[in-house]
Amino acid sequence: LTMSVSPQPVEATDDAFWDQFWADTATSVQDVFALVPAAEIRAVREESPSNLATLCYKAVEKLVQGAESGCHTEKERQIVLNCCRLLTRILPYIFEDPDWRGFFWSTVPGAGRGGGDDDDENARPLAESLLLAVADLLFCPDFTVQSHRRSAVDTAEDIHSIDSCEYIWEAGVGFAHSPQPNYIHDLNRTELLKLLLTCFSEAMYLPPSSDSSNTNPWVQFFCSTENRHALPLFTSLLNVVCAYDPVGYGIPYNHLLFSDYREPLVEEAAQVLIVTLDYDSSTSSSPTVDGTTTGTAMDDVDPPGPDNLFVNYLSRIHREEDFQFILKGVARLLSNPLVQTYLPNSAKKIQFHQELLVLFWKLCDFNKKFLFFVLKSSDVLDILVPILYFLNDARADQSRVGLMHIGVFILLLLSGERNFGVRLNKPYSVRVPMDIPVFTGTHADLLIVVFHKIITSGHQRLQPLFDCLLTIIVNVSPYLKSLSMVAANKLLHLLEAFSTTWFLFSAVQNHHLVFFLLEVFNNIIQYQFDGNSNLVYAVIRKRNVFHQLANLPTDSQSIQKGLQRKKKSPEPISRTNSQDGASMEGSRPAAPAEPGTLKTSLVATPGIDKLTEKSQVSEDGTMRSLEPESSQPPPEGNPPSAVSDGEPWSGEVSHPRRDRRRLSSASSTGQWTPTPDWVMSWKSKLPLQTIMRLLQVLVPQVEKICIDKGLTDESEILKFLQHGTLVGLLPVPHPILIRKYQANSGTAMWFRTYMWGVIYLRNVDPPIWYDTDVKLFEIQRV
């Protein structure tokens, strides 16, 4: 298989020459990758471009012919598959060269839309012919779908007259019939979807831009009304993913006995699905809850291009049974890596949980009815527990920063809804082995214990997520009925660590973390005092932390002294003063990445102020959005700093200094120095009144009990606190503030780079994009 046979252009009509590329019968996609080396494709691209152009054109032509004829013979199917593999191999090398990028969007003489040959005005770009042929081939009877013919005598179905909605691949959303599994069809679909994904991957060869609205022309066309199979294909992909059960029929080791042809198809389907749903909802008039778009008819004089039908269909799913099917399927697959069996390695473990998390995110982001359905019952906990498991497991692994971010983003999105906080009160009894202290309590305790573990023993690159983690706890705190002693101690340990003078003075936004934690304590004391004697007891025991905050020194000398302390104590947040009991049985410690592990770079995520908007909860439980406050000028004597208060914490640290401490100043430029005025400006706003009043009332009573009864025993004190009340003694309860996630182009771009990075790294056999000049992210080694 070589094109460098002649640098001379070969005529397109020389069929004998071109047919040798797809006539071979026994090739697999791996063979094609081995037989067509990268260097050779690049050589042909540079030295005989017309041959490369003809090869692409002929390969697409073969696919179009196959789609026209319906691929009735084995030979035709073989040709289609070989063209498919060849194009999958070549396309990345077309995309990496900016001069070639328009090639597939240019028209080819004679390929008319109307079928009339003279009608070149109406010729289709090569890309469109290719995409439509692939769509047709994905619903080709006896090739990728079951034929509906009764007997061999019946005439073959005409591929143009079949209604592909009757050939949806799997039962589920909008389709009740589950076709007989056929592994040949699964393999053929997988190869075609691989080609489709490769077509869409042109996005990898463009650098990340702040303008996330630049749509991918391949996806845009494929998901437009031009593709008559858009609906059945969307449904097929979604159903194949959500109906998949990797554990099969419960026979141990079955995945070792026979190959699962479904899994590669499910992975490919999940990847194609998330790429087609890559759509920036913050810039468009996105569908609202009832499926109509916001905006009046007057705005739509000039609609912004053809709408993405996949996004459109996803946002319009509304039947309860469809939601149930999707949620159960996603939860089943996300929980799969957690499934504990008594026989080691006896159950199949899937690897595509990151794609599933992106899919779940898209479902919640584009379909608010789905989000409300998820939160309506405790089924949301079947999503929460796997996410906490992944977060805890990946916390020490530099190559899985992206997974940490998406897990936290999903929890941030869910935490903006009151129901999520309420659901967390369900007792946690599922014992998934996790490297966390053993506790008895609710799902809220689990969430707090895992977040504490991430903050205290994750790696340096997770620091930008601290704001998000604490925001989630703030959002759910007004609804937490009863925290366990373990979780209460974890929250106080975080406050202790974040309120050391050196930490507060070493970066311009570190004090935000203290504000978040105080807000958590205030919410629980004001709204859930009755069931939370453990937390109240912990606050009383650690009362000196609150007194120190109230008396935080603000003079220059003390500030300098506080910063000196930083040099002496390298690890402020250590596990020493947090009583971590034994970890759960059967758990393994979170491991760092193996040296040399490949990872892809990510763009920075917006700061928490850009990521969320504040809403106030009214007494009847409804929320109203608060106007963003105008940013205040910096206090006198503090020149505007390089990193302003509202500056997003970028995911990448600008000057990686090797000796960085775990919690170091986010502004490593050294521009900024703390001043007395700056400390005063936020110290005066610390919301300490409620806690100080609580301490004032309860501490003397608790001390009296201890003296009277000679007590050193916690249980008596807890009993007293359980029956105590502070009604009428505390300040008037403050309104509950919820910081709800809001879509913005910054996160849209983050999702694009993350998603393509995952797809790049997961497609290793064959390595479709490996060693090509990708621009959307950098490939790095840990």
Side-chain angles (χ1 to χ4, degrees), residues 513-533:
L513 300 174
V514 169
F515 276 77
F516 285 139
L517 284 164
L518 290 175
E519 204 175 323
V520 170
F521 298 134
N522 288 338
N523 281 343
I524 293 178
I525 291 166
Q526 289 280 20
Y527 291 98
Q528 299 290 347
F529 179 82
D530 285 352
N532 273 300
S533 50

Side-chain angles (χ1 to χ4, degrees), residues 332-401:
R332 180 192 326 111
L333 291 170
L334 284 177
S335 317
N336 163 269
L338 290 60
V339 172
Q340 289 305 311
T341 48
Y342 293 103
L343 302 164
N345 304 325
S346 65
K348 187 178 182 77
K349 293 259 194 274
I350 59 157
Q351 301 296 323
F352 55 97
H353 48 271
Q354 301 194 81
E355 292 92 324
L356 286 165
L357 289 171
V358 175
L359 178 59
F360 182 75
W361 170 270
K362 298 280 179 200
L363 281 157
C364 293
D365 197 20
F366 295 150
N367 190 323
K368 287 295 169 258
K369 283 183 179 165
F370 176 74
L371 176 63
F372 299 144
F373 177 84
V374 169
L375 292 164
K376 197 172 74 177
S377 75
S378 51
D379 289 351
V380 65
L381 303 176
D382 299 336
I383 301 283
L384 170 75
V385 172
I387 289 179
L388 291 175
Y389 171 86
F390 293 130
L391 289 178
N392 186 57
D393 188 54
R395 68 177 194 265
D397 183 340
Q398 292 258 355
S399 69
R400 292 196 283 169
V401 175

Side-chain angles (χ1 to χ4, degrees), residues 2-23:
T2 166
M3 278 181 291
S4 12
V5 276
S6 60
Q8 269 56 54
V10 181
E11 280 303 313
T13 47
D14 182 356
D15 284 341
F17 176 78
W18 296 110
D19 283 349
Q20 64 181 343
F21 287 103
W22 28 84

Side-chain angles (χ1 to χ4, degrees), residues 132-331:
L132 293 177
V134 171
D136 278 339
L137 288 164
L138 285 168
F139 292 97
C140 183
D142 287 327
F143 179 50
T144 49
V145 290
Q146 213 68 52
S147 169
H148 290 187
R149 287 188 299 165
R150 299 282 176 290
S151 66
V153 212
D154 284 6
T155 49
E157 291 127 307
D158 172 21
I159 194 161
H160 298 288
S161 61
I162 70 170
D163 173 6
S164 43
C165 285
E166 292 170 14
Y167 290 85
I168 287 170
W169 301 350
E170 186 56 77
V173 176
F175 194 66
H177 166 65
S178 187
Q180 205 44 47
N182 180 319
Y183 79 94
I184 302 284
H185 294 173
D186 277 359
L187 290 173
N188 294 342
R189 291 164 177 170
T190 305
E191 299 233 31
L192 285 160
L193 290 179
K194 217 182 261 308
L195 172 57
L196 200 52
L197 195 59
T198 310
C199 291
F200 296 158
S201 71
E202 185 179 5
M204 282 198 218
Y205 298 89
L206 302 168
S209 69
S210 50
D211 172 27
S212 59
S213 57
N214 49 6
T215 43
N216 181 331
W218 296 84
V219 171
Q220 192 175 4
F221 179 79
F222 191 77
C223 298
S224 73
T225 45
E226 295 270 358
N227 177 2
R228 69 190 182 98
H229 302 293
L231 178 60
L233 187 58
F234 169 74
T235 313
S236 295
L237 296 171
L238 185 62
N239 291 355
V240 155
V241 172
C242 295
Y244 178 55
D245 182 3
V247 181
Y249 304 106
I251 312 160
Y253 299 105
N254 62 359
H255 64 289
L256 302 178
L257 302 179
F258 53 85
S259 198
D260 176 359
Y261 295 100
R262 224 345 105 103
E263 188 180 21
L265 174 64
V266 175
E267 290 205 1
E268 215 65 53
Q271 293 179 358
V272 168
L273 207 47
I274 60 178
V275 169
T276 50
L277 295 170
D278 174 23
Y279 182 76
D280 182 1
S281 57
S282 68
T283 55
S284 57
S285 57
S286 59
T288 51
V289 177
D290 58 355
T292 57
T293 49
T294 47
T296 62
M298 295 304 292
D299 306 340
D300 291 346
V301 186
D302 190 10
D307 263 348
N308 179 325
L309 290 180
F310 279 36
V311 173
N312 193 339
Y313 297 143
L314 184 77
S315 67
R316 297 213 323 249
I317 298 172
H318 61 276
R319 288 176 25 211
E320 294 260 313
E321 53 269 44
D322 289 343
F323 287 158
Q324 188 60 33
F325 165 75
I326 295 172
L327 180 57
K328 278 271 178 275
V330 173

Side-chain angles (χ1 to χ4, degrees), residues 210 544 616:
S210 50
N544 62 327
Q616 199 167 320

